[in-house]
Amino acid sequence: AAVPGAAGTWKDLTGNVNLLAANLTNQVRAIAEVATAVTQGDLTRSIQVDARGEVAELKDNINTMIGNLRLTTDRKNEQDWLKTNLARFTSMLQGQRDLNIVGRTLLSELVPLVGGHQGLIYRMVEEEPQVPHLTLLASYGNLKEGGYPEQMPLGEGFLGQCAVDMRRILVDHVPADTVPVGSALLQVLPRSLVFLPVVFEGQIKAVIGLASLIGFTPSHLAFLEQLTTSIGIVF
């Protein structure tokens, strides 16, 4: 609004009209920018402009819609990732007869996939006259000195207890005497440990242990649970 020579109340009114128009333009423009980004697949945006009344309600509804859409998309992507990798591992291990190859192949692909930095597979040994125990089948990033032992009695440590209980053990508060992750240049304690039983027809066949410096996400843990169930028949 441009009123030449306006003064007093008319000048104030002209300023208020222009302020109203500017606010409305900024609000609509912000909403339009975010809506356009969403139609192009960008679900990281949200409307941040100050608003009141009906425009504020519209802004909140659109932000809620974006949040719900982002959550749904993330869940779909997680399910796609899980199914794709389960199929890949099943195909990769199908027909294998050498357990040593199975162990090495599994860990070399599995550890980096789930954000791990160290991995172990112990297989169950029950041949008489030996006492049933776990023996190291394959390792990834295990230290030669001070690393995990070649054999583990049932019920001893997290590995042995996992074999006895036949259920997952997740450790997020790592004890100080845990085997470190690293090499000759750097050795640090992992942030998270997970131990998973490999069971077939109600019998323990192996135990998989993984260590991570950054921790395991719920998606990683769900994947590991399903993977150990599907590879039980291999062992």
Side-chain angles (χ1 to χ4, degrees), residues 23-56:
N23 286 339
L24 186 58
T25 300
N26 290 336
Q27 292 166 359
V28 173
R29 184 173 293 143
I31 293 173
E33 287 178 355
V34 173
T36 301
V38 171
T39 61
Q40 295 174 349
D42 183 2
L43 301 178
T44 63
R45 302 280 298 275
S46 63
I47 303 170
Q48 302 295 332
V49 68
D50 291 333
R52 289 187 293 178
E54 293 176 342
V55 177

Side-chain angles (χ1 to χ4, degrees), residues 86 89-90 93 106 110 120-121 162 166-168 194-201 203-210 220-235:
L86 279 176
F89 274 83
T90 301
L93 299 177
L106 183 61
L110 179 62
L120 308 153
I121 297 180
C162 179
M166 290 192 290
R167 65 170 178 261
R168 186 190 78 185
V194 63
F195 303 91
L196 303 115
V198 177
V199 179
F200 180 66
E201 294 183 346
Q203 295 184 344
I204 186 73
K205 297 299 179 183
V207 174
I208 298 177
L210 301 171
H220 291 155
L221 295 175
F223 169 72
L224 291 169
E225 290 273 12
Q226 295 191 39
L227 179 65
T228 51
T229 300
S230 65
I231 65 175
I233 190 172
V234 178
F235 283 86

Side-chain angles (χ1 to χ4, degrees), residues 7 16-17 33 48 75 100 103 109 113 121 145 148 181 215 219:
N16 289 337
V17 169
E33 287 178 355
Q48 302 295 332
R75 287 176 178 173
N100 291 313
E109 296 289 336
L113 178 66
I121 297 180
E145 296 184 5
Y148 286 91
V181 175
S219 297

Side-chain angles (χ1 to χ4, degrees), residues 4 56 92 94 98 125 135 138 144 175-176 184 205 227-228:
M92 181 175 59
Q94 190 172 12
D98 189 329
V125 177
T135 185
K144 291 184 178 180
K205 297 299 179 183
L227 179 65
T228 51

